[in-house]
Amino acid sequence: MIAFIFNHGLTLENVGEPLIPRDYVLVRPLKVGFDGLENAVYNGLIWAKPGIVLGGMGIVKVIEGGVDSEWETLAGKTAVVSPYSKAYGGLGIEINGIAAERGAVPKDALFPYFPELGDLNVLLPFASIAVKVAQLAEGRKTLIVGYGVLGKLVSLALNNRAEVGVYTEGGRVDYGNTVSRIDPSQWDVVFVSIISSWPRVLLSDKKIIMPRLMASWPIIGRERITFVEPEFVESAVNLLRSHEGKLKDVILHSDSFTSAIPVPKGKIVLVNAEKALKTASP
């Protein structure tokens, strides 16, 4: 089958059919999402295992569910794939993603699909992180470092719940004050959503919160970080519904895997998998 893989570069290749372990499900990708993590792989900032299938998130149709009979009820249903599995790590970086004709997804990386949200469903894993960060930071002076998709969602989740500052390299901020220079003494909590290590060094004496999107990263200073994993909560759906108008421009669309990367800053590129595979020629 055809897959979009990392092989010391990003390329379309013919690969073997995915194996379906006991706690996985076999899926057919409908739409595959790419974001800043794929940019980091593309630019060599994050190492991905050679031969790994890319595409850590998206919307899929479940084909079958391993050998666990409880998952047979999922067959034929639409689901959302989270970029992180607590049991196995980051999809598309540490384990195979879904940018292929068929994919194997750990069952703990599946989120329910809500038809009324449409393509915003792909943001559900990030929204689940945002609402949990808001719970941890409520009522405290909070600095958000990086205003990509996650930073934007965290700022929206903290609306009217905390004093918020956003350190970003440009662009409009929906909620909070833009910060051009960081004074550590001004902040109680720091949410870091960028790859660079400097915020963790500069603000090491603060409560640092980071999204858990890989099991193996960051390597240094993990003991000082509060990690928040994507895990489905109903309030994540409410966050997306409440700010649908502000979030629609976060998602861009493409019919090609190869042209989806690099992803524009602060965006997710959602690739129509059927169209991309139909025109693919490894």
Side-chain angles (χ1 to χ4, degrees):
M1 69 172 186
I2 299 173
F4 186 42
I5 72 169
F6 172 77
N7 192 9
H8 304 292
L10 310 184
T11 181
L12 287 160
E13 291 190 12
N14 282 308
V15 300
E17 291 288 337
L19 299 175
I20 314 299
R22 181 180 185 88
D23 50 355
Y24 275 62
V25 294
L26 180 67
V27 303
R28 177 173 61 84
L30 304 176
K31 297 183 179 181
V32 181
F34 299 95
D35 67 356
L37 284 180
E38 279 81 15
N39 281 357
V41 172
Y42 176 79
N43 292 315
L45 300 176
I46 291 177
W47 184 86
K49 185 166 61 175
I52 203 86
V53 178
L54 298 166
M57 58 185 170
I59 300 169
V60 300
K61 186 77 74 174
V62 178
I63 300 173
E64 59 181 286
V67 298
D68 286 345
S69 59
E70 64 177 292
W71 290 96
E72 291 178 1
T73 58
L74 282 174
K77 291 187 177 180
T78 303
V80 176
V81 174
S82 167
Y84 179 74
S85 159
K86 187 171 185 177
Y88 296 100
L91 277 71
I93 296 177
E94 295 170 317
I95 62 173
N96 282 331
I98 58 170
E101 293 180 74
R102 287 165 293 281
V105 176
K107 64 184 182 184
D108 69 350
L110 285 182
F111 278 51
Y113 177 83
F114 294 84
E116 71 276 15
L117 290 178
D119 288 345
L120 286 182
N121 274 281
V122 78
L123 299 180
L124 267 176
F126 290 163
S128 74
I129 291 173
V131 296
K132 286 191 277 186
V133 171
Q135 291 171 356
L136 293 170
E138 185 166 10
R140 307 174 73 180
K141 292 182 178 180
T142 303
L143 176 66
I144 298 171
V145 180
Y147 200 66
V149 176
L150 259 171
K152 186 183 187 81
L153 284 165
V154 169
S155 76
L156 292 172
L158 280 170
N159 189 8
N160 297 322
R161 298 176 67 179
E163 182 181 334
V164 174
V166 180
Y167 182 85
T168 177
E169 294 179 354
R172 184 173 58 86
V173 173
D174 293 292
Y175 172 68
N177 300 311
T178 303
V179 175
S180 58
R181 183 178 178 184
I182 296 177
D183 178 358
S185 66
Q186 291 184 349
W187 309 104
D188 304 317
V189 176
V190 182
F191 176 72
V192 179
S193 62
I194 62 174
I195 298 296
S196 177
S197 62
W198 68 260
R200 305 195 303 275
V201 176
L202 177 64
L203 300 156
S204 60
D205 62 336
K206 301 298 176 181
K207 181 179 180 65
I208 296 178
I209 304 174
M210 292 184 66
R212 172 71 85 186
L213 299 175
M214 289 179 281
S216 58
W217 183 89
I219 298 172
I220 299 172
R222 297 157 67 100
E223 67 281 352
R224 301 193 306 269
I225 299 169
T226 299
F227 288 102
V228 177
E229 301 172 353
E231 186 177 17
F232 178 73
V233 288
E234 191 69 37
S235 52
V237 181
N238 297 333
L239 178 65
L240 296 181
R241 286 173 176 155
S242 300
H243 300 286
E244 182 176 353
K246 290 186 175 74
L247 294 170
K248 281 191 172 181
D249 65 350
V250 164
I251 299 174
L252 305 178
H253 296 86
S254 175
D255 293 337
S256 167
F257 289 131
T258 54
S259 66
I261 300 171
V263 177
K265 184 180 177 181
K267 306 292 183 181
I268 287 176
V269 175
L270 202 56
V271 176
N272 184 310
E274 183 179 358
K275 290 182 178 179
L277 291 165
K278 187 177 293 185
T279 58
S281 54

